[in-house]
Amino acid sequence: MRKRQRMTTPLALLAVMALVVACNGNGNGEEATAEAQEGDEITVWIMQPGSDEIEQLLEGYTEEFEEETGATVNLQFVPWAQAHDQFTTAIAAGETPDVAEMGTTWTAEFGDLGVFRSQEEPIADDDYVEAVVESGRLEGEALGLPWYAGARTLIYRSDVFDDLGIEPPATWDEFMEVGETIQNETDLFPFALNTSVHQYLPMVWHAGGEIAEEVEPGQWEARINEAEGVEAFDFYASLLRDHEFAPSGALNWNAGDARAAFFNDEAAMLIGLGIDISISEAENPDLEGNIGVAPNPEGPGGDNSPFAGGSHLVVFEDSEAPQTAQAFAEFLLEAERVSEFAEALGFFPGTIDGIEAMDLDDNQQALADALTEARTYPPHPAWGGFEGEELFVNAIQEIMQGSDAQEVLDRVAERMNEGFAD
Amino acid sequence: MTDLQRSASRAPTAGTAPGRRRPSGGGGRSWRQRFDNQLLPGLFLAPSALFIFGLTVWPVLQTFRMSFTSADLRSLMTGEYEFIGLENFVNIATDSHLRVVFLQTAIFGIACVLATMVLGMSVALLLNTRLRGHTMLGVLVMLPWAVPAVAGSIVWQWMFHDQYGIINWALASIGMVGFDGFPWFNNRYTAFFAIGMVVVWQGFPFVALCLLAGLKSVSGEVLEAAKIDGAGPWQTVRLIIMPILKPLILVLVVISTIWNFKIFDQVYVMTRGGPARATEVLAITTWREAFTQHDFGLAAALAVAMFVILAVITALYLWLIRDDEEFE
């Protein structure tokens, strides 16, 4: 039962989908804040969740909203990999959607251009996962509504650890010991490392350092090239460079490659998200019950904060139906819907209530605990650019290939300060 | 356009000739004839000319203009640009990384052209023989051309995967154990080799097809004469076929050069310019500056630089075609 919807903006033609499945109205029962105007038409961009069931879930919410309010919602899915380019193009052309899902590290970047509607009602910090609220703010102004979030933490093969009689490592030193034991006693690689930023940037905190610091309101300075940052990058690079904890090709692995090495029975540890566990179990049913979750190993700085990533919902300033757009964002954020959706994705709701309302097993509980303690990167408009140009990825790859960590990070810091100054 | 203008201006001379015999009262008619012959064709052409202008000339002019500004995303939104003169071009000339990018774009492009031509020629010669099943072979050879660049690149990326790739597996199985887990994309040269494989694999069918058409046009009498004079196969190719096909080969070299300088998809999919920016080519750097850095000014300047290089090659191409026509 599919019906084709009309696309309103020319850019929408570039977006792949405007198909609505009309069969998943499961009647959640909750009323929307419903300032929505009947007859309004809004365009909503949501990141492609990578599964038909989750798409249908969203399409069900959309249908429900349409029935309740009489407004029309053009729901379009945008692949994560193309989303940044697509937002750039849309903003440049002045053809933005009304509501969109935004990666938490992009909210400040695009928000700085004034394209998002300010969320007038102050967001109470206690209600939401702190890290995701922080990343949705630009100079104190709330722009992104926390939707869902997840924290990366240590995921390991509990069967392998049991066989070897070892415990998950609590510190970097223990991580090395455990890694060497796995290397010597099994034919597994100890650690499915990859060069995605969320692997090693938090290690700067673990080493006791900071990536950057806000010296005055709105003014940031890079700290990544201080001793702790250098130690962190060098430690992570050494896992591949000196200790061969992963195959040499891991220099170019992304999170997906690392996960594949984990579920293909080639590596015993991974730093990842809840979704990495669910995908691993789906791909390799033998792993069910054989995966454990532990906090990140503590660095010499005595810290083990994970990084919290996830999504915000933003309402665009240029929306021709701002009331309806805002109402739709709030509709998606209602407790039941947000819990159901986040769980389906393998993430957690951005709200504390939402997390507490979930029925969690041990692994999920460990992941949820990690999330409430998680931190985020500097919410500065330039940050998205740093990630986009793969500033940190290039740095870690250079260090893994033998460059001096201090020299490389001095250059990174210089580039960051340029970005912060613009 | 010039041809049309020429024919339009030539036509009225013939049309107004009878009018001259009647000196009185012919003014209106001759005006109308002039309208019909001179203006009307132009009016008919105007919509499509406008269309072509809007789709090609206008964006190019905009890019030139933008290359002299410090345009970022905010300038695109507001339409306010700050002109900074030649700063972007000075930047391109002095930045050591950008110099490397230009150099490796050129070297990689030329290497791909050579490989494409050699492979294309070999396949064309093979298809030109009356081997059994050569029609089938012809169809198979065309297949890579029919695969979209991105899809093809993803498949090849998997084939070159260090852990699960069929290439490492195959090389290791025939005794080259050093290739077990060999990380093709860790190093500039091996990564470019892998990318080059895809580029050549997708580029050679077109070249082979064109050369095959060329080979078919080589008269059998010439070949027979060569045979009677005692020419072997290699001599026939080198001394008879190559000189006859020379104009065609030149044109194909130029077209391939233009294509291979613009390479984007294969690199974007397979390495995104990594590791540590080692495999960036010009098109990737341009995208990177525009879409990840929002430095549209510098990106425009890079695009202009590429435009100029390709314009020179295209001029060469047009000159070669002209030569070709005269040759025929």
Side-chain angles (χ1 to χ4, degrees):
Chain A
M1 285 177 66
R2 290 189 162 216
K3 80 177 182 225
R4 195 177 288 276
Q5 290 203 334
R6 192 165 60 90
M7 298 207 197
T8 46
T9 63
L11 267 158
L13 292 166
L14 292 171
V16 197
M17 281 183 221
L19 293 169
V20 165
V21 176
C23 54
N24 199 31
N26 52 6
N28 264 342
E30 281 202 46
E31 290 295 313
T33 334
E35 320 151 21
Q37 314 289 307
E38 198 174 337
D40 270 358
E41 200 173 327
I42 58 169
T43 302
V44 178
W45 287 1
I46 300 291
M47 306 294 179
Q48 207 153 46
S51 112
D52 286 348
E53 291 82 43
I54 304 176
E55 278 183 22
Q56 283 166 16
L57 199 62
L58 280 164
E59 282 156 355
Y61 298 157
T62 307
E63 288 258 307
E64 209 184 314
F65 180 80
E66 286 180 327
E67 273 165 31
E68 277 182 26
T69 62
T72 310
V73 178
N74 295 315
L75 178 65
Q76 289 158 11
F77 293 106
V78 184
W80 269 105
Q82 272 83 59
H84 193 271
D85 286 3
Q86 197 166 325
F87 280 119
T88 301
T89 319
I91 290 168
E95 295 281 354
T96 51
D98 299 278
V99 178
E101 173 182 356
M102 191 65 54
T104 47
T105 53
W106 302 346
T107 306
E109 181 188 8
F110 291 121
D112 188 47
L113 299 162
V115 292
F116 301 146
R117 187 169 188 239
S118 176
Q119 296 299 330
E120 286 151 11
E121 279 177 45
I123 297 173
D125 286 4
D126 295 349
D127 295 348
Y128 290 90
V129 174
E130 194 190 330
V132 203
V133 177
E134 197 187 325
S135 55
R137 284 222 175 100
L138 184 66
E139 288 162 24
E141 190 185 12
L143 298 172
L145 297 162
W147 193 15
Y148 62 83
R152 284 167 183 78
T153 175
L154 186 71
I155 295 169
Y156 63 97
R157 285 281 298 276
S158 50
D159 53 339
V160 175
F161 276 58
D162 288 347
D163 286 350
L164 295 173
I166 49 178
E167 292 291 317
T171 64
W172 285 9
D173 289 341
E174 284 181 33
F175 185 82
M176 297 310 299
E177 285 166 25
V178 162
E180 276 159 24
T181 309
I182 295 168
Q183 209 164 24
N184 296 331
E185 310 275 322
T186 70
D187 55 0
L188 295 178
F189 282 102
F191 180 49
L193 69 73
N194 70 81
T195 49
S196 126
V197 288
H198 310 313
Q199 297 282 313
Y200 42 87
L201 279 182
M203 288 187 168
V204 178
W205 303 325
H206 304 170
E210 287 296 328
I211 299 160
E213 211 171 349
E214 195 168 21
V215 283
E216 276 170 52
Q219 258 202 359
W220 290 79
E221 256 179 39
R223 293 268 181 271
I224 198 166
N225 58 336
E226 288 174 358
E228 295 85 0
V230 173
E231 187 179 6
F233 270 67
D234 206 47
F235 172 73
Y236 192 78
S238 76
L239 299 178
L240 184 74
R241 188 189 57 202
D242 308 329
H243 304 288
E244 295 175 2
F245 273 15
S248 52
L251 179 77
N252 278 304
W253 282 4
N254 57 28
D257 295 316
R259 181 173 59 213
F262 184 75
F263 68 63
N264 280 326
D265 217 6
E266 286 181 31
M269 292 186 281
L270 175 77
I271 290 182
L273 294 157
I275 191 170
D276 292 312
I277 300 179
S278 46
I279 291 180
S280 293
E281 288 176 347
E283 293 283 345
N284 183 356
D286 291 345
L287 291 182
E288 252 174 81
N290 289 327
I291 298 179
V293 175
N296 286 322
E298 240 174 52
D303 183 283
N304 71 344
S305 312
F307 162 76
S311 279
H312 294 133
L313 284 174
V314 294
V315 177
F316 278 84
E317 192 69 76
D318 277 353
S319 172
E320 280 171 18
Q323 293 301 314
T324 307
Q326 182 72 27
F328 184 70
E330 286 171 10
F331 179 82
L332 289 181
L333 285 169
E334 275 169 32
E336 259 181 62
R337 252 165 243 122
V338 80
S339 300
E340 184 182 29
F341 180 66
E343 196 174 359
L345 272 183
F347 280 78
F348 292 99
T351 58
I352 302 288
D353 278 355
I355 296 175
E356 280 167 4
M358 290 170 84
D359 183 22
L360 304 173
D361 63 28
D362 286 352
N363 281 349
Q364 288 171 321
Q365 190 59 51
L367 288 162
D369 291 345
L371 181 59
T372 47
E373 290 156 18
R375 297 185 58 182
T376 187
Y377 305 139
H380 189 280
W383 189 271
F386 300 158
E387 282 189 14
E389 69 177 294
E390 308 205 308
L391 183 63
F392 308 109
V393 178
N394 292 335
I396 201 81
Q397 285 176 334
E398 281 184 49
I399 300 170
M400 283 172 171
Q401 289 181 320
S403 297
D404 180 65
Q406 182 72 57
E407 267 171 41
V408 172
L409 290 177
D410 282 345
R411 263 187 284 128
V412 170
E414 197 182 321
R415 170 75 193 92
M416 284 173 75
N417 286 331
E418 268 172 38
F420 288 147
D422 277 350
Chain B
M1 203 62 192
T2 44
D3 278 349
L4 285 160
Q5 277 165 350
R6 224 178 288 134
S7 58
S9 57
R10 226 181 282 130
T13 349
T16 46
R20 262 188 232 132
R21 284 185 216 130
R22 284 184 292 173
S24 57
R29 201 172 156 197
S30 87
W31 182 87
R32 170 137 184 232
Q33 273 180 346
R34 200 180 300 162
F35 174 81
D36 280 356
N37 293 325
Q38 285 187 318
L39 277 169
L40 201 57
L43 282 176
F44 281 133
L45 283 172
S48 57
L50 208 66
F51 204 67
I52 292 169
F53 181 84
L55 283 177
T56 59
V57 183
W58 179 244
V60 171
L61 291 177
Q62 282 290 320
T63 308
F64 270 88
R65 192 178 72 114
M66 208 185 271
S67 70
F68 298 108
T69 70
S70 62
D72 57 11
L73 193 49
R74 193 184 297 278
S75 353
L76 294 185
M77 286 169 66
T78 57
E80 289 162 16
Y81 298 92
E82 192 198 334
F83 280 85
I84 54 168
L86 290 171
E87 205 180 303
N88 288 325
F89 292 98
V90 172
N91 206 342
I92 291 176
T94 53
D95 187 303
S96 60
H97 175 71
L98 293 178
R99 248 200 321 265
V100 171
V101 168
F102 273 95
L103 194 66
Q104 69 192 14
T105 307
I107 295 174
F108 177 66
I110 290 166
C112 286
V113 171
L114 283 177
T116 311
M117 293 308 298
V118 171
L119 188 62
M121 190 61 175
S122 319
V123 170
L125 287 169
L126 193 65
L127 289 177
N128 198 36
T129 58
R130 294 269 158 232
L131 274 178
R132 265 185 65 176
H134 73 284
T135 325
M136 189 63 191
L137 187 65
V139 173
L140 282 176
V141 159
M142 292 314 289
L143 277 180
W145 202 34
V147 177
V150 171
S153 307
I154 291 173
V155 171
W156 278 89
Q157 188 193 24
W158 268 103
M159 288 169 55
F160 276 108
H161 193 280
D162 57 309
Q163 297 299 305
Y164 315 119
I166 190 172
I167 291 173
N168 281 350
W169 173 83
L171 289 173
S173 319
I174 56 166
M176 299 161 89
V177 282
F179 282 98
D180 188 22
F182 183 77
W184 290 91
F185 299 108
N186 275 19
N187 167 295
R188 187 191 305 263
Y189 304 104
T190 50
F192 267 127
F193 176 80
I195 298 166
M197 286 285 286
V198 188
V199 173
V200 172
W201 176 76
Q202 292 194 307
F204 87 88
F206 174 77
V207 171
L209 190 71
C210 290
L211 288 173
L212 180 62
L215 286 172
K216 297 268 187 223
S217 72
V218 176
S219 132
E221 287 164 24
V222 181
L223 294 176
E224 210 177 313
K227 206 171 181 179
I228 291 167
D229 288 346
W234 173 239
Q235 281 170 317
T236 315
V237 170
R238 196 165 60 91
L239 300 170
I240 313 286
I241 293 177
M242 292 294 263
I244 293 178
L245 290 185
K246 197 179 137 205
L248 177 63
I249 291 172
L250 277 175
V251 169
L252 286 173
V253 164
V254 174
I255 293 180
S256 308
T257 310
I258 294 172
W259 281 346
N260 292 340
F261 264 72
K262 296 190 303 179
I263 289 292
F264 177 84
D265 320 32
Q266 291 88 343
V267 185
Y268 181 85
V269 170
M270 296 179 81
T271 67
R272 280 215 175 198
R277 307 187 70 177
T279 57
E280 269 183 32
V281 290
L282 204 43
I284 291 283
T285 310
T286 308
W287 163 80
R288 202 182 114 98
E289 292 299 334
F291 283 92
T292 75
Q293 299 304 292
H294 296 169
D295 190 346
F296 293 96
L298 181 58
L302 285 167
V304 166
M306 175 139 68
F307 179 86
V308 170
I309 293 171
L310 292 182
V312 169
I313 301 174
T314 310
L316 185 75
Y317 168 63
L318 292 174
W319 181 77
L320 284 171
I321 295 185
R322 188 213 56 170
D323 218 38
D324 193 21
E325 277 168 358
E326 278 175 12
F327 174 81
E328 278 170 13

